[in-house]
Amino acid sequence: MHFVNAKSILTPHSMNIYRGCSHGCIYCDSRSKCYQFTHDFEDIEVKQNAPELLEEALRKKRKRCMIGTGAMGDPYIPLEKELGLMRRCLEIIDRHDFGIALQTKSDLVLRDLDILEKINRKTKAVVQMTLTTADDELCKIVEPAVCPTSRRVEVLKECQARGIPTVVWFSPLLPFINDTIENARGIVDYCVQAGVKGILCFGIGVTMREGNREYFYDALDRAAARFPDDSRFCGIKDRYIKTYGYSYEVTSPNNHKIMSYLSQVCSRNKIMFGTDKIFKWMEDFPEDSLQPSLF
């Protein structure tokens, strides 16, 4: 890791305290060259003055809103356990009566549920968790350095117990690897058990840009060598190249079937489904949440 003093933190209502990640997810879009990293992705850039910048930015804001984090870098990478920058930022958000919508794959967020609970009582706190496979063993292959799916579900259930709403990012489901109805059913069953508010899904598949495509293909080669008897990885890189070439959108042949299933099961279980609807709900700040009662 290396430390920097950033010039700003909010753009305009979202922040990234860390730039880079150590989770090792084989499909990570943030590795793409278009994001112009000037350092190795695993050499994480730490914005050491993030709390001070956030304090100043929220003090100047004329209108309270939801603050987002985690879109480009998980705020709960292992370094956060030692540095505590995300916790300090949550304390600032709580003190200024803003809301928070955070995205993570890590169970380290459990450490901060006390603050998230306080924020949620006053305004709104949303915990978004990525789930890509119901199979913990496969999870260790595609997301090797972060807690497995079953542990993330425990986090979602603990949020539910504390009244903190949750959203699951149902992506990416990798073609020919975990893009099956069986896997989708397993993830949705987890979501129902955990009482999630919504499931975010942009379609069944993955996106590939220069930078993350090469890393993904190298990871597929490593998986094929490590698990020679696993049919999911036998010749998988060649199959991707033959099927998709250098396409940005890598859509599963099971896209329509799984999306139809998701729509039906979410409707049946009263789980919000549809990206526009969920993003609007997450961005909506409860304006009257801090207004004193007339009675």
Side-chain angles (χ1 to χ4, degrees), residues 22 38 46 48 52 69 78 103-104 125 145 162 189 200 231 239 243 246:
S22 55
T38 56
V46 179
Q48 61 185 348
E52 291 78 13
T69 189
Q103 183 179 351
T104 186
R162 293 179 180 234
D189 285 349
L200 263 172
S231 60
R239 190 174 183 187
T243 306
Y246 288 87

Side-chain angles (χ1 to χ4, degrees), residues 97-128:
D97 298 325
F98 281 69
I100 180 72
L102 65 87
Q103 183 179 351
T104 186
K105 290 188 179 86
S106 173
D107 58 352
L108 183 55
V109 68
L110 290 170
R111 180 201 64 186
D112 294 341
L113 289 191
D114 58 332
I115 307 177
L116 292 169
E117 199 172 7
K118 286 174 62 180
I119 294 171
N120 194 54
R121 282 199 297 264
K122 291 189 295 181
T123 57
K124 185 164 71 178
V126 183
V127 172
Q128 305 163 69

Side-chain angles (χ1 to χ4, degrees), residues 46-105:
V46 179
K47 298 176 183 177
Q48 61 185 348
N49 60 336
E52 291 78 13
L53 290 173
L54 183 63
E55 177 80 48
E56 181 182 8
L58 296 190
R59 185 164 36 82
K60 290 179 178 179
K61 274 193 175 291
R62 300 174 63 181
K63 188 176 181 181
R64 293 191 305 273
C65 62
M66 297 294 292
I67 305 298
T69 189
M72 282 297 298
D74 197 317
Y76 288 105
I77 55 176
L79 281 175
E80 169 59 21
K81 188 174 183 178
E82 171 192 347
L83 298 176
L85 293 175
M86 180 61 181
R87 185 171 179 88
R88 287 174 60 194
C89 286
L90 287 176
E91 290 170 342
I92 292 165
I93 288 168
D94 176 43
R95 187 162 61 249
H96 287 275
D97 298 325
F98 281 69
I100 180 72
L102 65 87
Q103 183 179 351
T104 186
K105 290 188 179 86

Side-chain angles (χ1 to χ4, degrees), residues 125-160:
V126 183
V127 172
Q128 305 163 69
M129 187 69 73
T130 300
L131 303 181
T132 64
T133 173
D135 178 354
D136 277 0
E137 293 307 309
L138 181 59
C139 184
K140 292 174 185 177
I141 299 171
V142 298
E143 299 158 344
V146 66
C147 65
T149 300
S150 58
R151 178 59 173 162
R152 295 179 216 173
V153 175
E154 291 177 7
V155 173
L156 292 170
K157 289 180 177 179
E158 183 60 27
C159 288
Q160 179 191 34

Side-chain angles (χ1 to χ4, degrees), residues 38-290:
T38 56
H39 55 87
D40 289 340
F41 193 70
E42 286 78 13
D43 177 19
I44 297 164
E45 181 179 281
V46 179
K47 298 176 183 177
Q48 61 185 348
N49 60 336
E52 291 78 13
L53 290 173
L54 183 63
E55 177 80 48
E56 181 182 8
L58 296 190
R59 185 164 36 82
K60 290 179 178 179
K61 274 193 175 291
R62 300 174 63 181
K63 188 176 181 181
R64 293 191 305 273
C65 62
M66 297 294 292
I67 305 298
T69 189
M72 282 297 298
D74 197 317
Y76 288 105
I77 55 176
L79 281 175
E80 169 59 21
K81 188 174 183 178
E82 171 192 347
L83 298 176
L85 293 175
M86 180 61 181
R87 185 171 179 88
R88 287 174 60 194
C89 286
L90 287 176
E91 290 170 342
I92 292 165
I93 288 168
D94 176 43
R95 187 162 61 249
H96 287 275
D97 298 325
F98 281 69
I100 180 72
L102 65 87
Q103 183 179 351
T104 186
K105 290 188 179 86
S106 173
D107 58 352
L108 183 55
V109 68
L110 290 170
R111 180 201 64 186
D112 294 341
L113 289 191
D114 58 332
I115 307 177
L116 292 169
E117 199 172 7
K118 286 174 62 180
I119 294 171
N120 194 54
R121 282 199 297 264
K122 291 189 295 181
T123 57
K124 185 164 71 178
V126 183
V127 172
Q128 305 163 69
M129 187 69 73
T130 300
L131 303 181
T132 64
T133 173
D135 178 354
D136 277 0
E137 293 307 309
L138 181 59
C139 184
K140 292 174 185 177
I141 299 171
V142 298
E143 299 158 344
V146 66
C147 65
T149 300
S150 58
R151 178 59 173 162
R152 295 179 216 173
V153 175
E154 291 177 7
V155 173
L156 292 170
K157 289 180 177 179
E158 183 60 27
C159 288
Q160 179 191 34
R162 293 179 180 234
I164 299 168
T166 56
V167 167
V168 161
W169 284 67
F170 195 96
S171 64
L173 267 64
L174 306 173
F176 319 129
I177 297 174
N178 60 342
D179 60 334
T180 64
I181 283 288
E182 292 74 21
N183 184 49
R185 185 176 294 115
I187 297 172
V188 171
D189 285 349
Y190 275 143
C191 292
V192 172
Q193 293 170 28
V196 304
K197 176 78 173 180
I199 292 177
L200 263 172
C201 185
F202 296 89
I204 307 304
V206 67
T207 57
M208 290 288 163
R209 291 187 174 101
E210 185 182 4
N212 81 306
R213 181 187 296 108
E214 289 78 8
Y215 186 85
F216 178 69
Y217 282 169
D218 285 346
L220 293 184
D221 275 341
R222 291 193 298 272
R226 185 179 169 194
F227 305 101
D229 297 326
D230 191 327
S231 60
R232 291 172 300 187
F233 298 110
C234 181
I236 187 66
K237 185 176 83 170
D238 289 341
R239 190 174 183 187
Y240 263 83
I241 293 171
K242 182 178 179 180
T243 306
Y244 300 108
Y246 288 87
S247 298
Y248 168 64
E249 292 189 4
V250 176
T251 303
S252 164
N254 298 323
N255 177 65
H256 179 71
K257 183 195 305 183
I258 297 177
M259 289 298 288
S260 296
Y261 166 76
L262 286 177
S263 178
Q264 293 169 16
V265 76
C266 285
S267 176
R268 188 162 61 245
N269 289 281
K270 296 181 171 55
I271 296 173
M272 195 184 305
F273 187 64
T275 55
D276 291 345
K277 185 188 302 183
I278 295 174
F279 280 126
K280 183 179 185 307
W281 172 77
M282 283 197 290
E283 291 168 1
D284 281 347
F285 183 82
E287 294 288 352
D288 60 349
S289 59
L290 298 174

